[in-house]
Amino acid sequence: MKRPSLTRLTALMIFGASAAEAHGTLPGGGGFYSGALHPLVALEHFLVLLAAGLSVGRDGHRLPLAALAVGLGAGLWLGLAVAGLSVFLLTLTLALGAVLALQWRLPEWVHAVALLAIGLAVGLDTDVPQTAALMAALGVAVTVFLITLNAFALGQALAGSRAALVLRVAGAWMLAASLMVLALSLRGLA
C-alpha cells in the first residue's frame, strides 16, 4: 500500500488554511476537532513543531519529547492569554531553522529546554472553547504530537545520509518563512 507523500501532506497543511482561520475554531466541529485543527492552521505553531521535530530527530534526542509533553500540558492546563507568543514561537522557528540549515548540533538539554518552552507557548496560545475545554485540549495534544513525531521520524531517517541536504533546505525554508511572518507581524500586517 502506497503511503501519501510527506511533501504533499505538508504543503496541504501549510497552504490549505487562510490567514483568517489562523486562530479560529471549526464551526460545529466540537471541541476535539477545533483543538486538533488549531496546530495545523496556526502557521507559527505548525512551523515551530516541524522545526523542533526535525532538529531533535536529526540529533536522535528523546528527552525533549517528554519536555514538550510537560510544557504543552502545563500551557493547556493554565489556559492563560499571554500576548506576544506568536512572535516568541516564530523566533524559536527562526533559531531551529538556522540550526538545521547550518547543520549545528545542539546538546540534548538545550533541545529539552527549547521543546519545553515550545510546548508551554503552544498550550498558552491555543484558544480552546470553554464548553469543551478537555476535548479541545486533547485534540491539540494529539495533533501537536502527530506533527512533532512525524518530523522526528523524518529527521532521524535523513540524518547522516546523502539525503541530509533535505534537512538543510527545510531548515533554510523554515528560517525564511518565519523571518517573513515575523517581520510582517512586527509591522502589524499579519
Side-chain angles (χ1 to χ4, degrees):
M1 175 154 82
K2 188 175 177 182
R3 295 188 328 187
S5 164
L6 183 61
T7 305
R8 287 183 185 160
L9 181 60
T10 302
L12 178 64
M13 289 188 288
I14 290 174
F15 299 114
S18 69
E21 298 169 326
H23 279 86
T25 59
L26 178 66
F32 179 83
Y33 295 110
S34 293
L37 286 175
H38 183 79
L40 296 173
V41 298
L43 184 61
E44 66 275 9
H45 294 193
F46 180 76
L47 283 176
V48 77
L49 294 169
L50 187 63
L54 287 172
S55 178
V56 171
R58 181 203 59 193
D59 292 348
H61 297 154
R62 299 195 188 288
L63 176 66
L65 298 174
L68 177 67
V70 169
L72 182 64
L76 289 170
W77 181 73
L78 289 171
L80 302 173
V82 178
L85 287 175
S86 293
V87 171
F88 176 70
L89 289 169
L90 288 167
T91 304
L92 280 173
T93 305
L94 191 130
L96 289 170
V99 164
L100 286 167
L102 298 171
Q103 291 186 321
W104 291 339
R105 301 287 180 179
L106 297 178
E108 189 170 25
W109 70 269
V110 173
H111 269 140
V113 169
L115 267 69
L116 178 70
I118 290 168
L120 185 61
V122 168
L124 289 173
D125 195 39
T126 300
D127 301 326
V128 293
Q130 291 303 316
T131 55
L134 180 61
M135 291 307 292
L138 180 62
V140 168
V142 166
T143 304
V144 162
F145 277 95
L146 281 174
I147 295 168
T148 308
L149 291 176
N150 278 300
F152 179 88
L154 183 61
Q156 274 193 321
L158 295 175
S161 71
R162 290 176 54 179
L165 178 62
V166 172
L167 289 174
R168 293 187 76 182
V169 171
W173 276 97
M174 283 183 264
L175 191 152
S178 61
L179 191 58
M180 287 186 289
V181 175
L182 185 60
L184 289 172
S185 66
L186 291 175
R187 298 260 310 163
L189 299 174

